[in-house]
């Protein structure tokens, strides 16, 4: 599909006069060039509106106002929508207390700061109508703010809904103003709701207040975060810049309102789009250049430094040049070259470069037709790192050294931000106007749960390091395995020597693990993808247990993807792909052979190790969802369930479904299949089923509760006419705002493994907790957030937390602790393989093995 076809597919047709004026008539000015003319970018537009509504219904109420607010045209941010989902009140076992007590107490410093409000503080919501009615949001704001009645009050207004921290004298207030043309406009301000400080709408207003404060601290908002272009970190050897900044949020925690902040970086390439296009042209030549250029650039995010805004490249218009004209809002015409010179004193040097096209969606109306913004490649800087760049070890090391802050370094940045907020006069005035007081950094007490012992075949070991027990794997025999008697090894002639060395090492490692590896049938082929695939098709007999390919290149789409697709779907046989480059690493052969032996064992249905699970009839399930890389309209749903009491054998299913949201509609089928598989192995149904749901985006919590949980509950209930299994559903989030540090010898360090936080930094309406189950060699560790949204099992909080920690030991692709429970990580690996490489449902013949490791 060409660039123009992509634009048409999005519902935007090119204007015939685009070549002359530079912009279609639907958007008669270059939106990117002058954001001040873009109403959607107004700092007052914190909510957005879906059209200017004159309706006003409802009376004063202290109820949750989210639904009514949205009915009146307001737009709630996705993370705020989750705050209105209260699940704890339905969970009788934790309604009174959700905190555990076992473990060793540990004092923790957080990245949370107190926000104090007067005891009787309230937010007043008003609906504003205009007579005569008009659509210009900017004019609506200007007319309203010009009145004395509102000039000294803290206010937030989006053109329809007005929020005040002080109540107006009358429930209905009428004001009038004159426009510049002398027209009289009547404004009616009607009180509709009185909101407590804990209301989700108040939380959203507080978030807007702090966004305004960070702008007063000379930070620029890019996406959701704020950055300081004035303090860049330059990495000259790789032509990169890092803008330091912060991601922030305000939320109601257990007993008080808290402000949270974390350090963030924006990665910028010191390379313009024009420089990238010029270099690409030199590499490819003019033949096929436009097609290659569109393939490389469409979908990338660029930053225009003259206004510090980011845009997505949706198309390249080769017919429009900087010398073309467009109509300004006053109907006068001007060329792009002259516009940038007049507006920003920027001289565009290349007058023949094509223009980039970005489609801007309305913040106020999701259904509105996107508008085109034309961008000059010479003025657009590429952001982020491409997949090719991320394979550069030295580059990634240089970036990590700057971005991975130690706990002490992160704390120093946070302390500086807090100091800047408290010292800045404008920031203090903004807070005082709303009645807010910025408090101190919060400390709390967590607990460290006991470490786990690893169960091998004939030995119980206490690893010297919970982060890595690979040496124990090589010393003691694994739980169970199947001998590898008949298998294929395909390699090129040039890889013959390294293949023989690797095979010898693999058989030696396998023997010590208890994994018997016979000599394979070695097939030598040319270094072409077709040769590898042809050899597999020719030599794959029904009795072959596994196919190993020693690949000469990491070009995934050429070698890896076709092989995996054929052996996962068309002719289902477990497969193992290894790069020649990996085998050539000096001094790493033993470690590589151990890792590959572990993966091969799992793909044949083996079990590596276990931990003690007190609950003897427990099934654990991991669910993950991700978008298909080939077809953006499809999502991949992965489902992995344990099928034995030791939680060492797994049943895996995956499906592609058409949807606009990351919500699964196939869970009943998957769960029924898993319960049937459990029944065959154990001659009965599990007493308990605990589901860990990963891949949940902001604003999806309500949909999970109302749509996914009923699917799971229905399949569990219908599985038996007698007593059904008890169900728990837990949402897992790897990315969460809170960070925790512990003070040791007057410095800050990462908390110990097994640290649990289930008070103060959690939410009162949820049964939730944080768990630190992985170590950070460099930088600051990320806690994982768990939210129990459904619970029939009634396990004590201590037991639920401890079980979750145990499951973080059972991921067979890494001999150590990981950040999330093993079934979640298995589901992630499965969905990633399908979404990136095979793009279709794997064969059910592989469902009983971890073929995707």
């Amino acid at each position: 599909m060409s660039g123009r076809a992509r634009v048409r597919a999005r519902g935007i047709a090119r204007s015939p006069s685009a070549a002359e004026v530079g912009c279609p008539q639907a958007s008669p000015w270059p939106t990117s060039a002058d954001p001040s003319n873009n109403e959607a970018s107004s700092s007052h537009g914190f909510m957005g509106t879906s059209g200017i509504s004159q309706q006003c219904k409802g009376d004063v109420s202290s109820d949750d106002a989210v639904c009514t607010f949205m009915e009146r045209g307001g737009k709630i941010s996705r993370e705020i929508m989750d705050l209105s989902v209260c699940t704890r009140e339905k969970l009788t076992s934790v309604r009174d207390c959700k905190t555990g007590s076992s473990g060793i107490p540990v004092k923790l410093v957080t990245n949370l700061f107190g926000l104090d409000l007067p005891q009787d503080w309230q937010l007043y919501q008003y609906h504003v109508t205009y007579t005569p009615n008009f659509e210009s949001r900017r004019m609506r704001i200007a007319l309203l703010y010009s009145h004395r009645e509102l000039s000294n009050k803290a206010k937030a207004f989006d053109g329809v809904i007005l929020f005040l921290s002080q109540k107006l004298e009358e429930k209905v207030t009428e004001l009038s103003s004159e426009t510049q043309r002398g027209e009289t406009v009547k404004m009616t301000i009607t009180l509709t709701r009185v909101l407590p400080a804990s209301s989700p709408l108040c939380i959203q207003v507080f978030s807007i207040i702090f966004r305004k404060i960070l702008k007063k601290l000379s930070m620029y908002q890019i996406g959701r975060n704020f950055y300081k272009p004035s303090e860049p970190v330059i990495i000259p050897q790789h032509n990169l810049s890092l803008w330091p900044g912060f991601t922030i949020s305000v939320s109601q925690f257990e007993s008080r309102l808290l402000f949270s902040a974390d350090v963030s970086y924006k990665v910028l390439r010191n390379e313009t789009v024009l420089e990238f296009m010029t270099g690409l042209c030199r590499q490819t030549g003019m033949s096929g250049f436009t097609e290659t250029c569109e393939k490389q650039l469409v979908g990338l995010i660029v930053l225009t430094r003259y206004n510090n805004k980011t845009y997505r490249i949706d198309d390249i218009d080769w017919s429009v040049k900087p010398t073309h004209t467009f109509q300004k809002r006053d109907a006068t015409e001007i060329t792009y070259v002259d516009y940038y010179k007049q507006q920003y004193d920027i001289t565009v040097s290349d007058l023949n470069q094509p223009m980039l096209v970005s489609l801007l969606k309305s913040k106020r109306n999701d259904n509105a037709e996107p508008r085109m913004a034309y961008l000059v490649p010479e003025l657009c800087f590429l952001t982020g790192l491409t997949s090719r760049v991320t394979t550069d070890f030295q580059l990634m090391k240089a970036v990590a050294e700057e971005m991975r802050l130690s706990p002490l370094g992160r704390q120093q940045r946070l302390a500086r931000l807090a100091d800047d907020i408290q010292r800045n006069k404008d920031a203090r005035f903004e807070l005082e106007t709303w009645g807010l007081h910025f408090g101190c950094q919060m400390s709390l007490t967590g607990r460290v749960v006991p470490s786990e012992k690893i169960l091998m075949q004939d030995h119980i070991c206490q690893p010297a390091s919970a982060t890595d027990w690979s040496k124990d794997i090589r010393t003691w025999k694994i739980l169970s395995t199947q001998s590898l008697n008949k298998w294929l090894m395909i390699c090129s002639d040039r890889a013959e020597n390294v293949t023989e060395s690797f095979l010898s090492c693999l058989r030696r490692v396998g023997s010590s693990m208890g994994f018997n590896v016979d000599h394979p049938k070695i097939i030598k082929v040319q270094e072409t993808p077709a040769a590898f695939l042809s050899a597999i098709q020719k030599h794959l007999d029904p009795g072959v247990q596994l196919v190993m390919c020693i690949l000469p290149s990491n070009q995934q789409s050429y070698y890896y993807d076709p092989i995996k697709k054929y052996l996962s779907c068309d002719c289902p046989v477990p497969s193992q792909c290894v790069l020649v480059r990996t085998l050539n690493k000096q001094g790493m052969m033993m470690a590589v052979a151990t890792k590959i032996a572990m993966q091969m064992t799992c793909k044949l249905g083996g079990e590596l190790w276990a931990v003690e699970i007190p609950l003897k009839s427990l099934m654990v399930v991991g669910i993950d969802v991700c978008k298909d890389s080939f077809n953006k309209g499809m999502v991949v749903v992965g489902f992995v369930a344990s099928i034995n009491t030791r939680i060492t054998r797994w049943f895996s299913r995956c499906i592609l479904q058409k949807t606009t949201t990351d919500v699964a509609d196939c869970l009943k089928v998957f769960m029924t299949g898993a319960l049937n598989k459990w029944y065959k192995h154990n001659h009965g149904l599990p007493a308990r089923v605990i589901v860990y749901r990963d891949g949940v985006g902001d604003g999806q919590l309500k949909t999970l509760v109302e749509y996914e949980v009923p699917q799971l509950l229905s399949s569990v209930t219908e599985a038996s006419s007698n007593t059904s299994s008890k169900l728990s559903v837990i949402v897992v989030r790897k990315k969460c705002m809170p960070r925790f540090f512990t003070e040791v010898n007057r410095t800050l360090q990462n908390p110990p493994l097994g640290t649990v936080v289930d008070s103060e930094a959690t939410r009162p309406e949820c049964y939730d907790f944080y768990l630190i189950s992985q170590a950070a060699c460099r930088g600051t560790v990320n806690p994982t957030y768990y939210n129990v949204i459904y619970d029939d099992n009634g396990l004590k909080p201590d037991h639920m937390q401890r079980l979750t920690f145990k499951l973080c030991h059972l991921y067979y692709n890494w001999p150590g602790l990981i950040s999330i429970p093993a079934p979640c990580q298995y589901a992630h690996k499965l969905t990633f393989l399908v979404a990136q490489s095979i793009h279709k449902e794997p064969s059910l013949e592989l469902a009983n093995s971890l073929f995707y490791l």
Side-chain angles (χ1 to χ4, degrees), residues 583-610:
L583 301 181
N584 281 325
K585 291 182 178 178
Q586 295 295 324
M588 295 291 292
M589 185 65 81
M590 183 64 73
V592 170
T594 302
K595 179 75 177 287
I596 291 174
M598 290 166 50
Q599 292 178 339
M600 292 168 66
T601 301
C602 295
K603 291 174 181 180
L604 295 173
E607 306 162 74
L608 300 185
W609 63 79

Short mmCIF file of all heavy atoms in Angstrom, two decimals, residues 583-610:
data_model
loop_
_atom_site.label_atom_id
_atom_site.label_comp_id
_atom_site.label_asym_id
_atom_site.label_seq_id
_atom_site.Cartn_x
_atom_site.Cartn_y
_atom_site.Cartn_z
N LEU A 583 27.25 -18.50 18.92
CA LEU A 583 28.15 -19.62 19.20
C LEU A 583 29.61 -19.19 19.12
O LEU A 583 30.48 -19.88 19.66
CB LEU A 583 27.88 -20.76 18.22
CG LEU A 583 26.45 -21.33 18.23
CD1 LEU A 583 26.34 -22.47 17.24
CD2 LEU A 583 26.06 -21.80 19.63
N ASN A 584 29.90 -18.09 18.45
CA ASN A 584 31.29 -17.62 18.29
C ASN A 584 31.77 -16.74 19.43
O ASN A 584 32.91 -16.30 19.44
CB ASN A 584 31.43 -16.85 16.97
CG ASN A 584 31.53 -17.79 15.77
OD1 ASN A 584 32.12 -18.86 15.88
ND2 ASN A 584 30.96 -17.39 14.65
N LYS A 585 30.89 -16.46 20.41
CA LYS A 585 31.31 -15.63 21.53
C LYS A 585 32.36 -16.35 22.37
O LYS A 585 32.13 -17.47 22.83
CB LYS A 585 30.09 -15.25 22.39
CG LYS A 585 29.14 -14.29 21.70
CD LYS A 585 27.98 -13.92 22.62
CE LYS A 585 27.05 -12.92 21.94
NZ LYS A 585 25.88 -12.57 22.80
N GLN A 586 33.48 -15.69 22.58
CA GLN A 586 34.59 -16.30 23.30
C GLN A 586 34.22 -16.56 24.77
O GLN A 586 33.70 -15.69 25.45
CB GLN A 586 35.82 -15.39 23.24
CG GLN A 586 36.39 -15.22 21.84
CD GLN A 586 36.93 -16.51 21.28
OE1 GLN A 586 37.50 -17.31 22.02
NE2 GLN A 586 36.77 -16.72 19.97
N GLY A 587 34.50 -17.76 25.24
CA GLY A 587 34.30 -18.09 26.64
C GLY A 587 32.86 -18.24 27.06
O GLY A 587 32.58 -18.37 28.26
N MET A 588 31.92 -18.24 26.10
CA MET A 588 30.49 -18.29 26.45
C MET A 588 29.83 -19.60 26.04
O MET A 588 28.64 -19.77 26.23
CB MET A 588 29.76 -17.13 25.75
CG MET A 588 30.18 -15.75 26.22
SD MET A 588 29.66 -15.43 27.92
CE MET A 588 27.88 -15.34 27.70
N MET A 589 30.59 -20.54 25.48
CA MET A 589 30.00 -21.74 24.93
C MET A 589 29.25 -22.56 25.98
O MET A 589 28.15 -23.06 25.75
CB MET A 589 31.07 -22.60 24.27
CG MET A 589 30.51 -23.82 23.55
SD MET A 589 29.46 -23.41 22.14
CE MET A 589 30.73 -23.09 20.91
N MET A 590 29.82 -22.69 27.18
CA MET A 590 29.18 -23.49 28.22
C MET A 590 27.86 -22.86 28.66
O MET A 590 26.85 -23.56 28.81
CB MET A 590 30.12 -23.63 29.42
CG MET A 590 29.57 -24.51 30.53
SD MET A 590 29.33 -26.23 30.04
CE MET A 590 31.03 -26.79 29.96
N ALA A 591 27.86 -21.54 28.85
CA ALA A 591 26.63 -20.85 29.25
C ALA A 591 25.57 -20.93 28.17
O ALA A 591 24.38 -21.16 28.45
CB ALA A 591 26.93 -19.39 29.59
N VAL A 592 25.99 -20.77 26.90
CA VAL A 592 25.05 -20.85 25.78
C VAL A 592 24.47 -22.25 25.66
O VAL A 592 23.26 -22.44 25.48
CB VAL A 592 25.74 -20.42 24.46
CG1 VAL A 592 24.85 -20.73 23.26
CG2 VAL A 592 26.08 -18.94 24.51
N ALA A 593 25.33 -23.26 25.79
CA ALA A 593 24.86 -24.65 25.68
C ALA A 593 23.89 -24.99 26.80
O ALA A 593 22.89 -25.70 26.58
CB ALA A 593 26.07 -25.60 25.72
N THR A 594 24.14 -24.49 28.02
CA THR A 594 23.23 -24.74 29.14
C THR A 594 21.86 -24.13 28.88
O THR A 594 20.82 -24.77 29.09
CB THR A 594 23.83 -24.15 30.44
OG1 THR A 594 25.10 -24.74 30.69
CG2 THR A 594 22.91 -24.42 31.62
N LYS A 595 21.86 -22.88 28.40
CA LYS A 595 20.59 -22.21 28.12
C LYS A 595 19.81 -22.94 27.03
O LYS A 595 18.59 -23.16 27.15
CB LYS A 595 20.89 -20.77 27.69
CG LYS A 595 19.68 -19.93 27.33
CD LYS A 595 18.93 -19.49 28.57
CE LYS A 595 17.74 -18.59 28.22
NZ LYS A 595 18.16 -17.25 27.82
N ILE A 596 20.49 -23.36 25.98
CA ILE A 596 19.80 -24.03 24.87
C ILE A 596 19.33 -25.41 25.30
O ILE A 596 18.23 -25.85 24.92
CB ILE A 596 20.74 -24.10 23.65
CG1 ILE A 596 20.94 -22.68 23.09
CG2 ILE A 596 20.17 -25.02 22.57
CD1 ILE A 596 21.96 -22.60 21.97
N ALA A 597 20.10 -26.11 26.11
CA ALA A 597 19.68 -27.42 26.61
C ALA A 597 18.40 -27.29 27.44
O ALA A 597 17.49 -28.14 27.36
CB ALA A 597 20.80 -28.05 27.43
N MET A 598 18.31 -26.25 28.25
CA MET A 598 17.10 -26.01 29.04
C MET A 598 15.90 -25.77 28.12
O MET A 598 14.81 -26.32 28.34
CB MET A 598 17.31 -24.80 29.96
CG MET A 598 18.28 -25.03 31.10
SD MET A 598 18.83 -23.50 31.91
CE MET A 598 17.29 -22.69 32.24
N GLN A 599 16.08 -24.94 27.09
CA GLN A 599 14.98 -24.66 26.17
C GLN A 599 14.55 -25.92 25.42
O GLN A 599 13.34 -26.17 25.26
CB GLN A 599 15.40 -23.57 25.18
CG GLN A 599 15.60 -22.21 25.80
CD GLN A 599 16.08 -21.18 24.79
OE1 GLN A 599 16.62 -21.52 23.74
NE2 GLN A 599 15.89 -19.91 25.10
N MET A 600 15.50 -26.71 24.97
CA MET A 600 15.16 -27.94 24.24
C MET A 600 14.41 -28.91 25.13
O MET A 600 13.46 -29.58 24.69
CB MET A 600 16.44 -28.57 23.69
CG MET A 600 17.10 -27.74 22.60
SD MET A 600 18.78 -28.29 22.19
CE MET A 600 18.45 -29.91 21.49
N THR A 601 14.81 -29.01 26.38
CA THR A 601 14.11 -29.88 27.32
C THR A 601 12.65 -29.49 27.45
O THR A 601 11.75 -30.33 27.43
CB THR A 601 14.80 -29.83 28.69
OG1 THR A 601 16.16 -30.25 28.56
CG2 THR A 601 14.10 -30.72 29.69
N CYS A 602 12.43 -28.18 27.61
CA CYS A 602 11.05 -27.68 27.77
C CYS A 602 10.23 -27.93 26.51
O CYS A 602 9.03 -28.26 26.59
CB CYS A 602 11.07 -26.20 28.10
SG CYS A 602 11.83 -25.80 29.68
N LYS A 603 10.84 -27.77 25.35
CA LYS A 603 10.11 -27.96 24.09
C LYS A 603 9.74 -29.42 23.86
O LYS A 603 8.83 -29.71 23.08
CB LYS A 603 10.95 -27.42 22.94
CG LYS A 603 11.09 -25.91 22.97
CD LYS A 603 12.03 -25.37 21.92
CE LYS A 603 12.13 -23.86 22.04
NZ LYS A 603 13.01 -23.24 21.04
N LEU A 604 10.43 -30.33 24.55
CA LEU A 604 10.09 -31.75 24.47
C LEU A 604 9.15 -32.18 25.59
O LEU A 604 8.85 -33.37 25.73
CB LEU A 604 11.38 -32.59 24.54
CG LEU A 604 12.35 -32.42 23.36
CD1 LEU A 604 13.65 -33.16 23.63
CD2 LEU A 604 11.72 -32.88 22.06
N GLY A 605 8.71 -31.20 26.41
CA GLY A 605 7.77 -31.50 27.49
C GLY A 605 8.40 -31.78 28.82
O GLY A 605 7.73 -32.29 29.73
N GLY A 606 9.68 -31.45 28.99
CA GLY A 606 10.36 -31.71 30.26
C GLY A 606 10.05 -30.68 31.32
O GLY A 606 9.46 -29.63 31.07
N GLU A 607 10.49 -31.01 32.56
CA GLU A 607 10.31 -30.12 33.71
C GLU A 607 11.69 -29.87 34.32
O GLU A 607 12.41 -30.83 34.59
CB GLU A 607 9.39 -30.76 34.75
CG GLU A 607 8.03 -31.20 34.19
CD GLU A 607 7.33 -32.20 35.11
OE1 GLU A 607 6.83 -31.77 36.16
OE2 GLU A 607 7.31 -33.39 34.77
N LEU A 608 12.02 -28.61 34.54
CA LEU A 608 13.37 -28.28 34.99
C LEU A 608 13.49 -28.26 36.51
O LEU A 608 14.37 -28.92 37.08
CB LEU A 608 13.81 -26.93 34.41
CG LEU A 608 13.83 -26.82 32.89
CD1 LEU A 608 14.38 -25.48 32.46
CD2 LEU A 608 14.65 -27.95 32.28
N TRP A 609 12.68 -27.48 37.18
CA TRP A 609 12.73 -27.38 38.64
C TRP A 609 11.35 -26.99 39.15
O TRP A 609 10.43 -26.70 38.37
CB TRP A 609 13.78 -26.35 39.08
CG TRP A 609 13.50 -24.94 38.63
CD1 TRP A 609 12.62 -24.06 39.18
CD2 TRP A 609 14.09 -24.27 37.51
NE1 TRP A 609 12.62 -22.87 38.50
CE2 TRP A 609 13.52 -22.97 37.47
CE3 TRP A 609 15.05 -24.62 36.56
CZ2 TRP A 609 13.88 -22.03 36.50
CZ3 TRP A 609 15.40 -23.68 35.60
CH2 TRP A 609 14.82 -22.41 35.58
N ALA A 610 11.21 -26.96 40.46
CA ALA A 610 9.92 -26.60 41.07
C ALA A 610 10.20 -25.88 42.38
O ALA A 610 11.34 -25.82 42.85
CB ALA A 610 9.07 -27.84 41.31
#
